[in-house]
Amino acid sequence: MKVLFVPHANRAHLHIMAPLAWALRTAGHEVRIASQPEIADAIMAAGFVPTEVGQVRTAMPDFYPGRRADEAQPIVMAPGERQEMPLQQDLSRDGALEKLSRASWGFALFSTEAMIADLVDLIRAWQPDLVLWDSMVYAAPVAAKVCGVAQARIMMGPDAITQLRQATRDEGDPLRDWLAPVLEGYGSRFDEDVAVGQWSIDPMPPWQWRPEGPHFVPIRPIPFNPPARIPDWLRQPQERPRVCLTLGESHRNGRGTEAPTSDLLDAVSGIDAEVIATFNAKQLATVDRLPSNVRVVDFVPLSVLLPTCSAVVHHGGAGTFSTALDCAVPQLIIPGTHWGFQWWGPVAHANGLQQQGAGRFVADADHLTKEALAEDLALVLKDPSFRENSERLRREITGVPTPNDIIPVLEKLTREYGAGPTTS
């Protein structure tokens, strides 16, 4: 069969999809990847020929109109009380309609009319049997619906959209308000499949909280890194514990929502460990001096670095989270600002890790203190139970079906849901 992948214009999201794309290709299926031009090079580096849809974005949009990035106050780490860990299941308790409105607005910024039109033309011309879409890219299910093609989400974190929509049934549905008129323009209608996929491929671990309702197909996350050379120092014997400090791919350009690089480096300066910080020049612009225990590298594949580490401090992104799970490394999670990132995954990842004894929720970026990070990092490095529980979680995740294992499931579901693409 023919399978079209539609990732978000973000390399980290593409890398989560890539192992499944290759599993389908090596099983004999035809695979194409369509996305906005920003990640065309990354698609080629992953071994596929990109099909560009939509237009190049000249700037990263603000998250939502009520809190413009240029109006946000600088984040400053200062002594204070420890933040109580928020819970993913509490996301919809207060202001669910406002949160869903923000999310829908953000989705609309990326799934432009031009992108939807290009995807409709591509599907009609190539006639795929299945469209697999990043859970943030609604242009894909709209185009699949218009063309009568089977489609499924690939989750990038917890299913917060289902969670929020279930909580706002009696108040309204901003997602429907946005997508229904778009579909009507193509002579089609909005339904629940457009909102949540006909089914959802879920690479999140089985112990992570998720709402009831959607049809989830579990898949084992397989770390995927772009081409890179391994530095010589990574092959040399270690003299002391190693800690990775990273904000992942999504935060390398800085959007005013992550903890300041200089403060993070200051917080780890006193630990008896070698700290590998994966920061680029822009992230280091405000750093006056590097602590003596810190080595900065612009990029090193986490799948190679993390097996040498005793802990990883990161923002809670799905790629870093899954790679650390696969490498059995204890995790300390510092999500971006609570107002900006409370539902995209870091909170749910931190909830599960802390409950499983394999990591710590340190604080949101706007609640973080140097003392909190230093205290949690010292605890994780000293207490062997964090490593033991991380190894247990890795053993458990190896029992989840791999991308190769779920190919027959995808073939079966495609036959059940596919009505066949239109040609005009």
Side-chain angles (χ1 to χ4, degrees), residues 75-82 259-260 262-271 289 291 313 332 334 362-378:
I75 301 170
V76 178
M77 293 171 65
E81 295 182 4
R82 285 295 299 260
S262 57
D263 289 337
L264 289 173
L265 292 172
D266 186 38
V268 301
S269 63
I271 67 167
R289 66 176 185 84
V313 180
L332 294 91
I334 304 170
V362 183
D364 292 313
D366 43 358
H367 294 92
L368 183 64
T369 69
K370 173 182 176 179
E371 292 76 13
L373 177 53
E375 178 184 338
D376 279 357
L377 188 50

PDB file of all heavy atoms in Angstrom, residues 75-82 259-260 262-271 289 291 313 332 334 362-378:
ATOM      1  N   ILE A  75      12.242  35.048  32.457  1.00  0.00           N
ATOM      2  CA  ILE A  75      12.217  34.037  33.505  1.00  0.00           C
ATOM      3  C   ILE A  75      13.493  34.166  34.330  1.00  0.00           C
ATOM      4  O   ILE A  75      14.599  34.174  33.789  1.00  0.00           O
ATOM      5  CB  ILE A  75      12.117  32.631  32.888  1.00  0.00           C
ATOM      6  CG1 ILE A  75      10.846  32.509  32.043  1.00  0.00           C
ATOM      7  CG2 ILE A  75      12.132  31.564  33.962  1.00  0.00           C
ATOM      8  CD1 ILE A  75      10.786  31.249  31.222  1.00  0.00           C
ATOM      9  N   VAL A  76      13.352  34.293  35.612  1.00  0.00           N
ATOM     10  CA  VAL A  76      14.501  34.438  36.506  1.00  0.00           C
ATOM     11  C   VAL A  76      14.399  33.385  37.594  1.00  0.00           C
ATOM     12  O   VAL A  76      13.379  33.257  38.268  1.00  0.00           O
ATOM     13  CB  VAL A  76      14.548  35.844  37.148  1.00  0.00           C
ATOM     14  CG1 VAL A  76      15.728  35.948  38.097  1.00  0.00           C
ATOM     15  CG2 VAL A  76      14.620  36.920  36.068  1.00  0.00           C
ATOM     16  N   MET A  77      15.471  32.602  37.763  1.00  0.00           N
ATOM     17  CA  MET A  77      15.488  31.618  38.829  1.00  0.00           C
ATOM     18  C   MET A  77      15.791  32.322  40.144  1.00  0.00           C
ATOM     19  O   MET A  77      16.724  33.110  40.239  1.00  0.00           O
ATOM     20  CB  MET A  77      16.544  30.558  38.547  1.00  0.00           C
ATOM     21  CG  MET A  77      16.231  29.701  37.340  1.00  0.00           C
ATOM     22  SD  MET A  77      17.597  28.613  36.865  1.00  0.00           S
ATOM     23  CE  MET A  77      17.699  27.555  38.283  1.00  0.00           C
ATOM     24  N   ALA A  78      15.005  32.077  41.142  1.00  0.00           N
ATOM     25  CA  ALA A  78      15.195  32.726  42.440  1.00  0.00           C
ATOM     26  C   ALA A  78      14.746  31.774  43.537  1.00  0.00           C
ATOM     27  O   ALA A  78      13.901  30.905  43.315  1.00  0.00           O
ATOM     28  CB  ALA A  78      14.376  34.015  42.507  1.00  0.00           C
ATOM     29  N   PRO A  79      15.308  31.910  44.754  1.00  0.00           N
ATOM     30  CA  PRO A  79      14.893  31.034  45.851  1.00  0.00           C
ATOM     31  C   PRO A  79      13.400  31.145  46.112  1.00  0.00           C
ATOM     32  O   PRO A  79      12.805  32.214  45.986  1.00  0.00           O
ATOM     33  CB  PRO A  79      15.706  31.558  47.037  1.00  0.00           C
ATOM     34  CG  PRO A  79      16.881  32.231  46.412  1.00  0.00           C
ATOM     35  CD  PRO A  79      16.363  32.833  45.147  1.00  0.00           C
ATOM     36  N   GLY A  80      12.784  30.058  46.451  1.00  0.00           N
ATOM     37  CA  GLY A  80      11.357  30.069  46.734  1.00  0.00           C
ATOM     38  C   GLY A  80      10.890  28.698  47.137  1.00  0.00           C
ATOM     39  O   GLY A  80      11.671  27.753  47.237  1.00  0.00           O
ATOM     40  N   GLU A  81       9.606  28.553  47.384  1.00  0.00           N
ATOM     41  CA  GLU A  81       9.058  27.263  47.781  1.00  0.00           C
ATOM     42  C   GLU A  81       9.057  26.300  46.600  1.00  0.00           C
ATOM     43  O   GLU A  81       8.901  26.704  45.449  1.00  0.00           O
ATOM     44  CB  GLU A  81       7.621  27.456  48.296  1.00  0.00           C
ATOM     45  CG  GLU A  81       7.535  28.285  49.567  1.00  0.00           C
ATOM     46  CD  GLU A  81       6.101  28.392  50.062  1.00  0.00           C
ATOM     47  OE1 GLU A  81       5.216  27.760  49.439  1.00  0.00           O
ATOM     48  OE2 GLU A  81       5.868  29.097  51.045  1.00  0.00           O
ATOM     49  N   ARG A  82       9.216  25.018  46.913  1.00  0.00           N
ATOM     50  CA  ARG A  82       9.164  24.000  45.870  1.00  0.00           C
ATOM     51  C   ARG A  82       7.783  23.949  45.267  1.00  0.00           C
ATOM     52  O   ARG A  82       6.771  23.984  45.958  1.00  0.00           O
ATOM     53  CB  ARG A  82       9.521  22.626  46.448  1.00  0.00           C
ATOM     54  CG  ARG A  82      10.982  22.416  46.746  1.00  0.00           C
ATOM     55  CD  ARG A  82      11.835  22.444  45.487  1.00  0.00           C
ATOM     56  NE  ARG A  82      11.507  21.423  44.538  1.00  0.00           N
ATOM     57  CZ  ARG A  82      12.202  20.284  44.394  1.00  0.00           C
ATOM     58  NH1 ARG A  82      13.241  20.036  45.150  1.00  0.00           N
ATOM     59  NH2 ARG A  82      11.857  19.409  43.477  1.00  0.00           N
ATOM     60  N   ALA A 259      13.671  27.617  30.580  1.00  0.00           N
ATOM     61  CA  ALA A 259      14.556  28.109  31.624  1.00  0.00           C
ATOM     62  C   ALA A 259      15.815  28.694  30.989  1.00  0.00           C
ATOM     63  O   ALA A 259      16.342  28.146  30.020  1.00  0.00           O
ATOM     64  CB  ALA A 259      14.917  26.978  32.581  1.00  0.00           C
ATOM     65  N   PRO A 260      16.329  29.813  31.514  1.00  0.00           N
ATOM     66  CA  PRO A 260      17.515  30.447  30.933  1.00  0.00           C
ATOM     67  C   PRO A 260      18.734  29.523  30.992  1.00  0.00           C
ATOM     68  O   PRO A 260      19.002  28.879  32.006  1.00  0.00           O
ATOM     69  CB  PRO A 260      17.722  31.684  31.816  1.00  0.00           C
ATOM     70  CG  PRO A 260      16.398  31.932  32.456  1.00  0.00           C
ATOM     71  CD  PRO A 260      15.777  30.587  32.631  1.00  0.00           C
ATOM     72  N   SER A 262      21.908  30.225  31.126  1.00  0.00           N
ATOM     73  CA  SER A 262      22.908  30.609  32.119  1.00  0.00           C
ATOM     74  C   SER A 262      22.535  30.126  33.509  1.00  0.00           C
ATOM     75  O   SER A 262      23.401  29.673  34.277  1.00  0.00           O
ATOM     76  CB  SER A 262      23.093  32.135  32.125  1.00  0.00           C
ATOM     77  OG  SER A 262      21.857  32.786  32.384  1.00  0.00           O
ATOM     78  N   ASP A 263      21.265  30.162  33.841  1.00  0.00           N
ATOM     79  CA  ASP A 263      20.833  29.721  35.163  1.00  0.00           C
ATOM     80  C   ASP A 263      20.899  28.201  35.294  1.00  0.00           C
ATOM     81  O   ASP A 263      21.220  27.667  36.368  1.00  0.00           O
ATOM     82  CB  ASP A 263      19.417  30.216  35.444  1.00  0.00           C
ATOM     83  CG  ASP A 263      19.360  31.717  35.683  1.00  0.00           C
ATOM     84  OD1 ASP A 263      20.408  32.280  36.051  1.00  0.00           O
ATOM     85  OD2 ASP A 263      18.297  32.314  35.489  1.00  0.00           O
ATOM     86  N   LEU A 264      20.576  27.489  34.218  1.00  0.00           N
ATOM     87  CA  LEU A 264      20.680  26.035  34.257  1.00  0.00           C
ATOM     88  C   LEU A 264      22.129  25.610  34.470  1.00  0.00           C
ATOM     89  O   LEU A 264      22.424  24.711  35.267  1.00  0.00           O
ATOM     90  CB  LEU A 264      20.142  25.433  32.958  1.00  0.00           C
ATOM     91  CG  LEU A 264      18.627  25.506  32.738  1.00  0.00           C
ATOM     92  CD1 LEU A 264      18.281  25.030  31.325  1.00  0.00           C
ATOM     93  CD2 LEU A 264      17.882  24.683  33.775  1.00  0.00           C
ATOM     94  N   LEU A 265      23.037  26.261  33.767  1.00  0.00           N
ATOM     95  CA  LEU A 265      24.449  25.932  33.927  1.00  0.00           C
ATOM     96  C   LEU A 265      24.938  26.262  35.327  1.00  0.00           C
ATOM     97  O   LEU A 265      25.710  25.504  35.925  1.00  0.00           O
ATOM     98  CB  LEU A 265      25.274  26.683  32.881  1.00  0.00           C
ATOM     99  CG  LEU A 265      25.058  26.242  31.427  1.00  0.00           C
ATOM    100  CD1 LEU A 265      25.780  27.180  30.473  1.00  0.00           C
ATOM    101  CD2 LEU A 265      25.526  24.808  31.218  1.00  0.00           C
ATOM    102  N   ASP A 266      24.474  27.364  35.857  1.00  0.00           N
ATOM    103  CA  ASP A 266      24.857  27.734  37.218  1.00  0.00           C
ATOM    104  C   ASP A 266      24.363  26.696  38.226  1.00  0.00           C
ATOM    105  O   ASP A 266      25.056  26.350  39.185  1.00  0.00           O
ATOM    106  CB  ASP A 266      24.284  29.117  37.549  1.00  0.00           C
ATOM    107  CG  ASP A 266      24.761  29.631  38.896  1.00  0.00           C
ATOM    108  OD1 ASP A 266      25.932  29.399  39.244  1.00  0.00           O
ATOM    109  OD2 ASP A 266      23.952  30.264  39.607  1.00  0.00           O
ATOM    110  N   ALA A 267      23.154  26.181  37.994  1.00  0.00           N
ATOM    111  CA  ALA A 267      22.558  25.228  38.932  1.00  0.00           C
ATOM    112  C   ALA A 267      23.313  23.911  38.973  1.00  0.00           C
ATOM    113  O   ALA A 267      23.327  23.229  40.001  1.00  0.00           O
ATOM    114  CB  ALA A 267      21.097  24.984  38.573  1.00  0.00           C
ATOM    115  N   VAL A 268      23.940  23.512  37.858  1.00  0.00           N
ATOM    116  CA  VAL A 268      24.651  22.225  37.827  1.00  0.00           C
ATOM    117  C   VAL A 268      26.139  22.388  38.110  1.00  0.00           C
ATOM    118  O   VAL A 268      26.882  21.400  38.126  1.00  0.00           O
ATOM    119  CB  VAL A 268      24.458  21.513  36.470  1.00  0.00           C
ATOM    120  CG1 VAL A 268      22.986  21.272  36.205  1.00  0.00           C
ATOM    121  CG2 VAL A 268      25.089  22.305  35.330  1.00  0.00           C
ATOM    122  N   SER A 269      26.580  23.615  38.348  1.00  0.00           N
ATOM    123  CA  SER A 269      28.014  23.878  38.485  1.00  0.00           C
ATOM    124  C   SER A 269      28.619  23.229  39.729  1.00  0.00           C
ATOM    125  O   SER A 269      29.815  22.952  39.759  1.00  0.00           O
ATOM    126  CB  SER A 269      28.278  25.384  38.518  1.00  0.00           C
ATOM    127  OG  SER A 269      27.652  25.979  39.659  1.00  0.00           O
ATOM    128  N   GLY A 270      27.794  22.993  40.748  1.00  0.00           N
ATOM    129  CA  GLY A 270      28.339  22.474  42.000  1.00  0.00           C
ATOM    130  C   GLY A 270      28.298  20.973  42.148  1.00  0.00           C
ATOM    131  O   GLY A 270      28.749  20.443  43.173  1.00  0.00           O
ATOM    132  N   ILE A 271      27.796  20.256  41.168  1.00  0.00           N
ATOM    133  CA  ILE A 271      27.682  18.803  41.324  1.00  0.00           C
ATOM    134  C   ILE A 271      28.989  18.124  40.938  1.00  0.00           C
ATOM    135  O   ILE A 271      29.742  18.611  40.085  1.00  0.00           O
ATOM    136  CB  ILE A 271      26.528  18.227  40.477  1.00  0.00           C
ATOM    137  CG1 ILE A 271      26.813  18.362  38.986  1.00  0.00           C
ATOM    138  CG2 ILE A 271      25.213  18.890  40.834  1.00  0.00           C
ATOM    139  CD1 ILE A 271      25.881  17.553  38.126  1.00  0.00           C
ATOM    140  N   ARG A 289      30.430  32.762  31.545  1.00  0.00           N
ATOM    141  CA  ARG A 289      31.506  31.785  31.666  1.00  0.00           C
ATOM    142  C   ARG A 289      30.905  30.403  31.906  1.00  0.00           C
ATOM    143  O   ARG A 289      29.816  30.277  32.469  1.00  0.00           O
ATOM    144  CB  ARG A 289      32.445  32.142  32.815  1.00  0.00           C
ATOM    145  CG  ARG A 289      31.805  32.066  34.183  1.00  0.00           C
ATOM    146  CD  ARG A 289      32.803  32.327  35.308  1.00  0.00           C
ATOM    147  NE  ARG A 289      32.166  32.137  36.615  1.00  0.00           N
ATOM    148  CZ  ARG A 289      32.035  30.967  37.211  1.00  0.00           C
ATOM    149  NH1 ARG A 289      32.469  29.870  36.609  1.00  0.00           N
ATOM    150  NH2 ARG A 289      31.448  30.870  38.399  1.00  0.00           N
ATOM    151  N   PRO A 291      30.906  26.776  33.756  1.00  0.00           N
ATOM    152  CA  PRO A 291      31.443  26.089  34.942  1.00  0.00           C
ATOM    153  C   PRO A 291      32.504  25.079  34.534  1.00  0.00           C
ATOM    154  O   PRO A 291      32.475  24.521  33.422  1.00  0.00           O
ATOM    155  CB  PRO A 291      30.206  25.402  35.536  1.00  0.00           C
ATOM    156  CG  PRO A 291      29.040  26.189  35.016  1.00  0.00           C
ATOM    157  CD  PRO A 291      29.445  26.647  33.650  1.00  0.00           C
ATOM    158  N   VAL A 313      18.948  15.894  32.372  1.00  0.00           N
ATOM    159  CA  VAL A 313      18.082  17.022  32.735  1.00  0.00           C
ATOM    160  C   VAL A 313      17.560  17.612  31.437  1.00  0.00           C
ATOM    161  O   VAL A 313      18.364  18.015  30.574  1.00  0.00           O
ATOM    162  CB  VAL A 313      18.864  18.097  33.521  1.00  0.00           C
ATOM    163  CG1 VAL A 313      17.946  19.255  33.890  1.00  0.00           C
ATOM    164  CG2 VAL A 313      19.506  17.493  34.772  1.00  0.00           C
ATOM    165  N   LEU A 332      15.331  14.090  34.866  1.00  0.00           N
ATOM    166  CA  LEU A 332      14.845  15.236  35.631  1.00  0.00           C
ATOM    167  C   LEU A 332      14.233  16.202  34.627  1.00  0.00           C
ATOM    168  O   LEU A 332      14.921  16.676  33.709  1.00  0.00           O
ATOM    169  CB  LEU A 332      15.979  15.913  36.406  1.00  0.00           C
ATOM    170  CG  LEU A 332      16.612  15.070  37.516  1.00  0.00           C
ATOM    171  CD1 LEU A 332      17.795  14.266  36.972  1.00  0.00           C
ATOM    172  CD2 LEU A 332      17.062  15.935  38.677  1.00  0.00           C
ATOM    173  N   ILE A 334      12.228  19.600  33.400  1.00  0.00           N
ATOM    174  CA  ILE A 334      11.918  21.015  33.628  1.00  0.00           C
ATOM    175  C   ILE A 334      11.130  21.499  32.416  1.00  0.00           C
ATOM    176  O   ILE A 334      11.715  21.936  31.417  1.00  0.00           O
ATOM    177  CB  ILE A 334      13.202  21.852  33.797  1.00  0.00           C
ATOM    178  CG1 ILE A 334      14.075  21.289  34.917  1.00  0.00           C
ATOM    179  CG2 ILE A 334      12.859  23.317  34.068  1.00  0.00           C
ATOM    180  CD1 ILE A 334      15.452  21.917  34.988  1.00  0.00           C
ATOM    181  N   VAL A 362      11.115  18.577  38.370  1.00  0.00           N
ATOM    182  CA  VAL A 362      11.847  19.591  39.137  1.00  0.00           C
ATOM    183  C   VAL A 362      10.968  20.811  39.356  1.00  0.00           C
ATOM    184  O   VAL A 362      10.674  21.185  40.494  1.00  0.00           O
ATOM    185  CB  VAL A 362      13.152  19.984  38.429  1.00  0.00           C
ATOM    186  CG1 VAL A 362      13.929  20.988  39.291  1.00  0.00           C
ATOM    187  CG2 VAL A 362      14.011  18.750  38.147  1.00  0.00           C
ATOM    188  N   ALA A 363      10.513  21.414  38.262  1.00  0.00           N
ATOM    189  CA  ALA A 363       9.618  22.575  38.311  1.00  0.00           C
ATOM    190  C   ALA A 363       9.412  23.052  36.894  1.00  0.00           C
ATOM    191  O   ALA A 363      10.208  22.755  35.992  1.00  0.00           O
ATOM    192  CB  ALA A 363      10.209  23.708  39.157  1.00  0.00           C
ATOM    193  N   ASP A 364       8.320  23.807  36.663  1.00  0.00           N
ATOM    194  CA  ASP A 364       8.187  24.525  35.402  1.00  0.00           C
ATOM    195  C   ASP A 364       9.270  25.595  35.333  1.00  0.00           C
ATOM    196  O   ASP A 364       9.798  26.043  36.359  1.00  0.00           O
ATOM    197  CB  ASP A 364       6.818  25.208  35.322  1.00  0.00           C
ATOM    198  CG  ASP A 364       5.686  24.215  35.209  1.00  0.00           C
ATOM    199  OD1 ASP A 364       5.799  23.292  34.395  1.00  0.00           O
ATOM    200  OD2 ASP A 364       4.690  24.377  35.931  1.00  0.00           O
ATOM    201  N   ALA A 365       9.575  26.040  34.118  1.00  0.00           N
ATOM    202  CA  ALA A 365      10.633  27.035  33.953  1.00  0.00           C
ATOM    203  C   ALA A 365      10.365  28.303  34.765  1.00  0.00           C
ATOM    204  O   ALA A 365      11.292  28.917  35.289  1.00  0.00           O
ATOM    205  CB  ALA A 365      10.793  27.385  32.476  1.00  0.00           C
ATOM    206  N   ASP A 366       9.095  28.693  34.884  1.00  0.00           N
ATOM    207  CA  ASP A 366       8.802  29.926  35.604  1.00  0.00           C
ATOM    208  C   ASP A 366       8.621  29.709  37.102  1.00  0.00           C
ATOM    209  O   ASP A 366       8.293  30.644  37.832  1.00  0.00           O
ATOM    210  CB  ASP A 366       7.586  30.635  35.018  1.00  0.00           C
ATOM    211  CG  ASP A 366       6.431  29.718  34.686  1.00  0.00           C
ATOM    212  OD1 ASP A 366       6.569  28.492  34.865  1.00  0.00           O
ATOM    213  OD2 ASP A 366       5.383  30.208  34.238  1.00  0.00           O
ATOM    214  N   HIS A 367       8.842  28.491  37.584  1.00  0.00           N
ATOM    215  CA  HIS A 367       8.833  28.208  39.024  1.00  0.00           C
ATOM    216  C   HIS A 367      10.167  27.610  39.488  1.00  0.00           C
ATOM    217  O   HIS A 367      10.318  27.260  40.654  1.00  0.00           O
ATOM    218  CB  HIS A 367       7.722  27.212  39.380  1.00  0.00           C
ATOM    219  CG  HIS A 367       6.336  27.740  39.163  1.00  0.00           C
ATOM    220  ND1 HIS A 367       5.648  27.560  37.991  1.00  0.00           N
ATOM    221  CD2 HIS A 367       5.504  28.444  39.973  1.00  0.00           C
ATOM    222  CE1 HIS A 367       4.444  28.122  38.078  1.00  0.00           C
ATOM    223  NE2 HIS A 367       4.341  28.666  39.280  1.00  0.00           N
ATOM    224  N   LEU A 368      11.109  27.492  38.576  1.00  0.00           N
ATOM    225  CA  LEU A 368      12.341  26.782  38.868  1.00  0.00           C
ATOM    226  C   LEU A 368      13.266  27.589  39.774  1.00  0.00           C
ATOM    227  O   LEU A 368      13.356  28.806  39.673  1.00  0.00           O
ATOM    228  CB  LEU A 368      13.070  26.474  37.558  1.00  0.00           C
ATOM    229  CG  LEU A 368      14.360  25.667  37.660  1.00  0.00           C
ATOM    230  CD1 LEU A 368      14.098  24.278  38.194  1.00  0.00           C
ATOM    231  CD2 LEU A 368      15.029  25.601  36.287  1.00  0.00           C
ATOM    232  N   THR A 369      13.956  26.889  40.657  1.00  0.00           N
ATOM    233  CA  THR A 369      15.012  27.503  41.463  1.00  0.00           C
ATOM    234  C   THR A 369      16.287  26.693  41.301  1.00  0.00           C
ATOM    235  O   THR A 369      16.246  25.484  41.026  1.00  0.00           O
ATOM    236  CB  THR A 369      14.639  27.555  42.959  1.00  0.00           C
ATOM    237  OG1 THR A 369      14.633  26.223  43.483  1.00  0.00           O
ATOM    238  CG2 THR A 369      13.279  28.210  43.168  1.00  0.00           C
ATOM    239  N   LYS A 370      17.401  27.356  41.479  1.00  0.00           N
ATOM    240  CA  LYS A 370      18.689  26.678  41.422  1.00  0.00           C
ATOM    241  C   LYS A 370      18.751  25.590  42.478  1.00  0.00           C
ATOM    242  O   LYS A 370      19.251  24.480  42.223  1.00  0.00           O
ATOM    243  CB  LYS A 370      19.805  27.695  41.637  1.00  0.00           C
ATOM    244  CG  LYS A 370      21.187  27.075  41.776  1.00  0.00           C
ATOM    245  CD  LYS A 370      22.235  28.134  42.043  1.00  0.00           C
ATOM    246  CE  LYS A 370      23.605  27.500  42.281  1.00  0.00           C
ATOM    247  NZ  LYS A 370      24.654  28.520  42.530  1.00  0.00           N
ATOM    248  N   GLU A 371      18.233  25.887  43.655  1.00  0.00           N
ATOM    249  CA  GLU A 371      18.278  24.935  44.753  1.00  0.00           C
ATOM    250  C   GLU A 371      17.494  23.666  44.427  1.00  0.00           C
ATOM    251  O   GLU A 371      17.920  22.561  44.758  1.00  0.00           O
ATOM    252  CB  GLU A 371      17.739  25.575  46.032  1.00  0.00           C
ATOM    253  CG  GLU A 371      18.615  26.687  46.603  1.00  0.00           C
ATOM    254  CD  GLU A 371      18.505  27.991  45.841  1.00  0.00           C
ATOM    255  OE1 GLU A 371      17.579  28.132  45.020  1.00  0.00           O
ATOM    256  OE2 GLU A 371      19.350  28.883  46.060  1.00  0.00           O
ATOM    257  N   ALA A 372      16.331  23.828  43.810  1.00  0.00           N
ATOM    258  CA  ALA A 372      15.493  22.669  43.484  1.00  0.00           C
ATOM    259  C   ALA A 372      16.208  21.742  42.515  1.00  0.00           C
ATOM    260  O   ALA A 372      16.212  20.515  42.683  1.00  0.00           O
ATOM    261  CB  ALA A 372      14.163  23.133  42.910  1.00  0.00           C
ATOM    262  N   LEU A 373      16.814  22.292  41.458  1.00  0.00           N
ATOM    263  CA  LEU A 373      17.502  21.458  40.479  1.00  0.00           C
ATOM    264  C   LEU A 373      18.719  20.775  41.102  1.00  0.00           C
ATOM    265  O   LEU A 373      18.933  19.573  40.905  1.00  0.00           O
ATOM    266  CB  LEU A 373      17.927  22.304  39.278  1.00  0.00           C
ATOM    267  CG  LEU A 373      18.729  21.576  38.198  1.00  0.00           C
ATOM    268  CD1 LEU A 373      18.019  20.314  37.728  1.00  0.00           C
ATOM    269  CD2 LEU A 373      19.001  22.510  37.019  1.00  0.00           C
ATOM    270  N   ALA A 374      19.507  21.525  41.869  1.00  0.00           N
ATOM    271  CA  ALA A 374      20.683  20.937  42.500  1.00  0.00           C
ATOM    272  C   ALA A 374      20.294  19.820  43.476  1.00  0.00           C
ATOM    273  O   ALA A 374      20.932  18.763  43.517  1.00  0.00           O
ATOM    274  CB  ALA A 374      21.478  22.030  43.226  1.00  0.00           C
ATOM    275  N   GLU A 375      19.232  20.048  44.239  1.00  0.00           N
ATOM    276  CA  GLU A 375      18.779  19.051  45.212  1.00  0.00           C
ATOM    277  C   GLU A 375      18.299  17.782  44.522  1.00  0.00           C
ATOM    278  O   GLU A 375      18.656  16.662  44.918  1.00  0.00           O
ATOM    279  CB  GLU A 375      17.657  19.654  46.058  1.00  0.00           C
ATOM    280  CG  GLU A 375      17.059  18.712  47.081  1.00  0.00           C
ATOM    281  CD  GLU A 375      15.887  19.333  47.824  1.00  0.00           C
ATOM    282  OE1 GLU A 375      15.792  20.579  47.876  1.00  0.00           O
ATOM    283  OE2 GLU A 375      15.061  18.567  48.349  1.00  0.00           O
ATOM    284  N   ASP A 376      17.467  17.941  43.487  1.00  0.00           N
ATOM    285  CA  ASP A 376      16.940  16.762  42.795  1.00  0.00           C
ATOM    286  C   ASP A 376      18.040  16.006  42.064  1.00  0.00           C
ATOM    287  O   ASP A 376      18.045  14.766  42.031  1.00  0.00           O
ATOM    288  CB  ASP A 376      15.848  17.182  41.814  1.00  0.00           C
ATOM    289  CG  ASP A 376      14.505  17.393  42.488  1.00  0.00           C
ATOM    290  OD1 ASP A 376      14.415  17.154  43.706  1.00  0.00           O
ATOM    291  OD2 ASP A 376      13.553  17.800  41.807  1.00  0.00           O
ATOM    292  N   LEU A 377      18.967  16.730  41.464  1.00  0.00           N
ATOM    293  CA  LEU A 377      20.042  16.067  40.735  1.00  0.00           C
ATOM    294  C   LEU A 377      20.942  15.283  41.694  1.00  0.00           C
ATOM    295  O   LEU A 377      21.332  14.141  41.403  1.00  0.00           O
ATOM    296  CB  LEU A 377      20.852  17.101  39.954  1.00  0.00           C
ATOM    297  CG  LEU A 377      21.902  16.574  38.981  1.00  0.00           C
ATOM    298  CD1 LEU A 377      21.315  15.512  38.048  1.00  0.00           C
ATOM    299  CD2 LEU A 377      22.489  17.722  38.170  1.00  0.00           C
ATOM    300  N   ALA A 378      21.248  15.875  42.845  1.00  0.00           N
ATOM    301  CA  ALA A 378      22.058  15.166  43.839  1.00  0.00           C
ATOM    302  C   ALA A 378      21.357  13.899  44.316  1.00  0.00           C
ATOM    303  O   ALA A 378      21.982  12.842  44.489  1.00  0.00           O
ATOM    304  CB  ALA A 378      22.356  16.089  45.024  1.00  0.00           C
TER     305      ALA A 378
END
